[in-house]
Amino acid sequence: IGRLTIRGRPGRCDLDSRARQESGRAHHTFSGDGMTCSDIDECTDDPTLCENGICLNDQGSFACECQIGYMHPQPSNTQQCIDIDECQQIDNICMNGLCENTNGIFRCICDEGFALDENGSNCTDINECDDPQVCQYGTCVNTDGGYHCDCPVGYQLSPSGNGCLDSRRGTCFANYTTYYAEYGDNPICRQPMGDDVSKSACCCSNKKKSLKF
């Protein structure tokens, strides 16, 4: 019986052409003719090895080179690749959002008022004040994850909170004229209509009406 060395340990070739350690533990990683042993390329023989990785053949064994987003389950086990749960392993991932783990990767579900950045891995504040329709007749102030409107004197925040409404009240007139030369170009208000009202209540119902404070 011929003797050989497997990774620096004594072994022998038996009649079924399998190399084994002297302790008797079988290693189905060599083949031969009963006298000599040669390496079995497990990666070629079994294409299902190393799911989520690349199979690398070695003398008497094989190892998996894991794809990005996968890792070996243990340092001593290099023949498997399992998913990395980035949401559990990385602190403060997906700030201002919820981390959702998927196979080989993760994604961030951003909180309201935030959006994914160009890298798709972080939630950044949306500047709502970039929209000219926000805070009409007021000043838009951007905040982290939101905004608010500062209204000038005489205006109040709209019920929706995205604009300012004229809250001033005055006498509403049913008509006005501008043809009296002694008054120049200023319109002359006529026919007052009772109690003081807001500008929107007075002006929007009839284009000819006028409000005087």
Side-chain angles (χ1 to χ4, degrees):
I1 298 177
R3 294 182 64 83
L4 74 160
T5 300
I6 306 173
R7 291 188 173 181
R9 293 171 292 185
R12 64 188 177 86
C13 294
D14 56 22
L15 293 180
D16 63 2
S17 300
R18 298 295 182 184
R20 61 187 182 187
Q21 297 178 16
E22 289 292 352
S23 64
R25 182 181 177 186
H27 283 259
H28 302 291
T29 55
F30 289 87
S31 64
D33 55 9
M35 296 298 294
T36 60
C37 297
S38 60
D39 175 56
I40 295 174
D41 188 341
E42 296 88 354
C43 300
T44 301
D45 286 356
D46 188 355
T48 64
L49 293 175
C50 294
E51 184 180 6
N52 304 315
I54 299 174
C55 185
L56 303 176
N57 186 57
D58 194 6
Q59 285 295 314
S61 185
F62 72 95
C64 298
E65 183 179 302
C66 297
Q67 299 172 350
I68 295 176
Y70 296 86
M71 67 178 187
H72 299 133
Q74 295 177 348
S76 60
N77 182 1
T78 61
Q79 296 183 344
Q80 285 182 292
C81 294
I82 61 173
D83 175 57
I84 298 173
D85 189 342
E86 295 88 353
C87 300
Q88 293 293 329
Q89 296 195 16
I90 304 176
D91 293 335
N92 298 322
I93 196 171
C94 291
M95 290 288 291
N96 304 310
L98 175 67
C99 181
E100 181 180 69
N101 186 60
T102 59
N103 283 332
I105 200 170
F106 69 96
R107 69 188 185 103
C108 296
I109 303 174
C110 296
D111 297 337
E112 185 176 358
F114 295 86
L116 284 175
D117 60 12
E118 295 180 355
N119 296 324
S121 60
N122 191 35
C123 295
T124 57
D125 175 56
I126 298 172
N127 189 353
E128 294 85 357
C129 297
D130 288 339
D131 185 351
Q133 299 300 316
V134 173
C135 290
Q136 288 194 6
Y137 309 111
T139 301
C140 181
V141 179
N142 186 59
T143 60
D144 198 23
Y147 72 96
H148 67 264
C149 299
D150 285 346
C151 298
V153 176
Y155 287 75
Q156 64 182 11
L157 194 64
S158 66
S160 62
N162 64 350
C164 297
L165 302 176
D166 191 343
S167 59
R168 295 173 296 176
R169 303 178 70 84
T171 303
C172 185
F173 295 85
N175 202 348
Y176 65 91
T177 57
T178 57
Y179 58 85
Y180 290 99
E182 62 269 27
Y183 294 104
D185 295 330
N186 295 323
I188 305 301
C189 297
R190 295 178 178 276
Q191 298 176 315
M193 299 181 61
D195 297 337
D196 289 350
V197 296
S198 66
K199 183 177 180 180
S200 59
C202 177
C203 300
C204 297
S205 60
N206 189 333
K207 292 183 179 180
K208 192 65 175 176
K209 291 179 180 177
S210 179
L211 183 70
K212 186 174 182 180
F213 298 105

